[in-house]
């Protein structure tokens, strides 16, 4: 009886894909059409690959902004996107960290200036919604990129290819599938890749606001007992805000009248930008972390929040996702006329593991140090920031590492080699 049921099951599965020979075939199918998925699709299509970008358009406009660092901006220029994106942005010429706690061990102010590492700006702050609109226009102009606004509903991943069923009853096949479909990734689940998740007793409030005094292209991050309160410049006398609070405090903040909320933000910022006026409705997101057990497997690759997610600290989220995409494009290369290898996902996992795990751990450690009431932890955090404030070379190494991962270690090696050379000369 069980053998008969197995045969019937296999026949049903075959029937579901019986139009396989008439399916549209692509080199790469990207599931998820947010910022990470759209950027991956454009980058791969510009290399000449035939790409399917699958996923519905967002139902609600994303009110958040994204700070992209110098390495990411250079990649946008390479993709011929920066000319349209730049007018939306504000440069980040300096970042300052202020201790906004009332704890026994308080840290001194720390100022990071792009000029210290030879840059005009660390990066630029970009509103997400118009950024995505620009990407959609570029997608439409690429002859090897096809956009499907239906959801992907089923996957069959084997050694030969990937078969994908869509919500509009169509089916496609691809050599590789890229999961850019967020924290609850259907691609990750279909590939049998496990995930480690954790949560924080925090929620992030995001909004934009105008202010009386110019921000001078400086981002200010107040470290508070509930989490960071981060103001990031926008063009003109406007800024975006990410305010991490305890969930109950965040709920209460969302109920405040606009004038009361504006005054609350001004007080929290110690009026360093003068009078504040909030714009639109604030949005709130619970904070949690996620790391896939693998970032690729066989014909499956994971990018963006399908692979990694953590609190909005240190402008790491989309910058890390763009490094996923850079690695993906470099690994796949240009079309050769042959099918893409079945072990591409495994090789991608090996190349992305160190970067993703180290960034995830550092952001998690910093966030938990803000939440900790353990005095030795508070003392270590204050001492670390004091060291950064007073030690210019160390601060420079940290800034270089934040902008170009791996550069701090490379600079240290080069400095060590130079010292050895001088001693032996």
């Amino acid at each position: 009886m069980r053998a008969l049921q197995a045969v019937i099951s296999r026949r049903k599965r075959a029937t579901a894909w019986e139009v396989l020979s008439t399916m549209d075939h692509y080199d790469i199918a990207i599931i998820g059409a947010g910022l990470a998925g759209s950027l991956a699709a454009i980058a791969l299509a510009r290399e000449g690959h035939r790409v399917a970008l699958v996923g519905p358009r967002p139902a609600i406009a994303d009110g958040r902004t994204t700070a992209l660092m110098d390495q990411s901006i250079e990649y946008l220029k390479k993709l011929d996107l920066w000319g349209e994106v730049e007018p939306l942005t504000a440069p980040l010429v300096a970042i300052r960290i202020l201790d906004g706690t009332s704890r026994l061990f308080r840290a001194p102010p720390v100022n990071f200036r792009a000029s210290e590492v030879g840059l005009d700006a660390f990066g630029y702050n970009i509103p997400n919604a118009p950024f995505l609109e620009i990407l959609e226009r570029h997608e439409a102009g690429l002859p090897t990129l096809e956009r499907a606004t239906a959801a992907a509903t089923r996957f069959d991943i084997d050694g030969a290819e990937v078969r994908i069923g869509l919500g509009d009853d169509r089916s496609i096949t691809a050599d590789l599938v890229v999961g850019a479909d967020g924290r609850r990734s259907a691609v990750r689940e279909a590939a049998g890749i496990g995930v480690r998740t954790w949560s924080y007793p925090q929620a992030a409030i995001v909004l934009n606001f105008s202010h009386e005094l110019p921000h001078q292209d400086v981002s200010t991050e107040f470290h508070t007992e509930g989490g960071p309160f981060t103001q990031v410049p926008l063009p003109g006398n406007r800024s975006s805000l990410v305010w991490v609070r305890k969930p109950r405090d965040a709920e209460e903040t969302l109920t405040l009248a606009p004038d009361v909320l504006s005054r609350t933000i001004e007080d929290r910022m110690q009026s360093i930008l003068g009078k504040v006026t909030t714009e639109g409705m604030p949005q709130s997101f619970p904070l949690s972390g996620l790391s896939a057990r693998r970032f690729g497997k066989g014909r499956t690759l994971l990018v963006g929040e399908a692979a990694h997610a953590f609190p909005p600290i240190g402008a790491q989220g989309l910058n890390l996702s763009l490094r996923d995409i850079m690695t993906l494009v470099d690994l796949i290369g240009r079309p050769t006329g042959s099918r893409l290898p079945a072990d591409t996902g495994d090789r991608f996992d090996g190349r992305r593991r160190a970067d993703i795990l180290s960034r995830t751990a550092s952001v998690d450690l910093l966030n938990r140090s803000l939440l900790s009431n353990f005095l030795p932890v508070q003392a270590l955090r204050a001492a670390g920031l004091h060291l950064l404030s007073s030690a210019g070379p160390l601060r420079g190494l940290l800034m270089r590492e934040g902008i170009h991962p791996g550069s701090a270690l490379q600079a240290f090696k080069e400095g060590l080699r130079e010292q050895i050379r001088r001693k032996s000369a």
Side-chain angles (χ1 to χ4, degrees):
M1 187 65 181
R2 288 183 178 177
L4 179 60
Q5 288 176 339
V7 171
I8 293 172
S9 177
R10 284 196 297 271
R11 286 180 177 174
K12 285 182 176 180
R13 185 179 178 188
T15 301
W17 302 104
E18 62 185 0
V19 293
L20 179 59
S21 60
T22 62
M23 290 180 188
D24 288 327
H25 184 81
Y26 300 86
D27 298 326
I28 304 123
I30 299 173
I31 312 303
L35 290 175
S38 296
L39 284 162
I42 290 170
L44 289 164
R46 287 199 187 283
E47 290 293 308
H49 292 286
R50 190 167 184 232
V51 179
L53 177 60
V54 178
R57 291 185 173 86
I60 302 174
D62 189 346
R64 294 172 294 179
T65 65
T66 297
L68 289 183
M69 296 295 102
D70 181 69
Q71 183 186 40
S72 298
I73 298 301
E74 289 302 314
Y75 197 62
L76 293 189
K77 291 177 181 177
K78 182 179 178 181
L79 297 178
D80 294 327
L81 296 169
W82 183 239
E84 289 184 60
V85 174
E86 185 177 13
L88 304 172
T89 72
L92 307 178
V93 302
I95 299 170
R96 59 185 169 194
I97 298 176
L98 302 177
D99 194 328
T101 70
S102 56
R103 289 169 171 166
L104 177 63
F105 296 105
R106 300 190 68 201
V110 182
N111 292 284
F112 301 94
R113 298 193 174 277
S115 58
E116 292 184 72
V117 289
L119 295 175
D120 294 328
F122 288 118
Y124 293 78
N125 192 33
I126 307 170
N128 287 3
F131 187 14
L132 188 58
E133 290 173 4
I134 289 172
L135 298 183
E136 289 177 347
R137 289 199 295 272
H138 278 260
E139 291 161 11
L142 290 169
T144 61
L145 195 161
E146 296 190 28
R147 179 75 170 89
T149 56
T153 57
R154 66 187 188 276
F155 302 89
D156 187 8
I157 305 170
D158 60 32
E161 63 184 3
V162 181
R163 294 176 287 278
I164 304 165
L166 306 182
D168 57 6
D169 295 328
R170 290 185 298 136
S171 297
I172 63 174
T173 62
D175 292 351
L176 303 176
V177 60
V178 176
D181 49 344
R183 295 175 183 237
R184 298 179 180 179
S185 171
V187 174
R188 189 181 65 224
E189 182 178 352
I193 297 175
V195 65
R196 183 172 67 91
T197 61
W198 59 95
S199 61
Y200 301 95
Q202 297 167 297
I205 300 167
V206 296
L207 56 86
N208 296 335
F209 64 94
S210 60
H211 38 81
E212 183 180 17
L213 302 177
H215 47 54
Q216 307 289 350
D217 298 328
V218 176
S219 174
T220 302
E221 183 171 300
F222 291 86
H223 285 184
T224 76
E225 290 89 344
F229 174 105
T230 307
Q231 164 266 331
V232 190
L234 287 170
N237 280 15
R238 299 176 61 245
S239 293
S240 62
L241 175 68
V242 179
W243 188 1
V244 177
R245 310 204 70 188
K246 294 178 181 178
R248 181 172 294 180
D249 293 337
E251 290 177 10
E252 293 176 357
T253 301
L254 293 179
T255 65
L256 296 177
D259 59 333
V260 178
L261 178 59
S262 299
R263 181 66 196 209
T264 301
I265 292 171
E266 180 184 339
D267 291 344
R268 177 70 271 182
M269 294 193 68
Q270 303 170 15
S271 296
I272 61 174
L273 294 178
K275 183 179 179 181
V276 164
T277 304
T278 59
E279 303 174 356
M281 296 294 293
Q283 295 176 307
S284 179
F285 304 88
L287 293 194
S288 61
L290 174 151
S291 181
R293 300 290 183 183
R294 296 177 57 88
F295 308 112
K297 177 183 176 184
R299 295 190 176 277
T300 303
L301 306 92
L302 304 178
V303 302
E305 291 197 343
H308 46 76
F310 39 68
I313 296 174
Q316 292 299 310
L318 188 58
N319 290 285
L320 188 61
S321 300
L322 271 165
R323 294 202 294 277
D324 294 339
I325 294 165
M326 294 176 206
T327 302
L328 172 65
V329 173
D330 181 63
L331 182 66
I332 293 175
R334 298 188 66 84
T336 62
S338 302
R339 287 288 185 98
L340 295 171
D343 66 343
T344 304
D346 301 282
R347 291 185 289 127
F348 179 79
D349 174 67
R351 290 181 57 171
R352 291 301 298 140
R353 181 163 294 274
D355 184 22
I356 292 173
L357 294 182
S358 64
R359 294 289 151 165
T360 302
S362 61
V363 170
D364 179 66
L365 180 62
L366 177 57
N367 191 42
R368 292 188 189 279
S369 74
L370 290 172
L371 292 171
S372 177
N373 291 318
F374 190 43
L375 285 179
V377 172
Q378 295 177 19
L380 283 172
R381 176 182 158 274
L385 289 174
H386 181 79
L387 184 61
L388 285 175
S389 177
S390 58
L394 178 61
R395 190 169 60 250
L397 281 174
L398 183 66
M399 286 188 284
R400 289 187 182 91
E401 183 63 22
I403 298 166
H404 294 282
S407 61
L409 180 60
Q410 184 62 30
F412 176 76
K413 289 179 179 177
E414 291 175 358
L416 189 60
R417 281 197 293 266
E418 179 63 19
Q419 288 183 17
I420 295 171
R421 187 189 65 80
R422 288 177 179 176
K423 287 181 180 180
S424 61

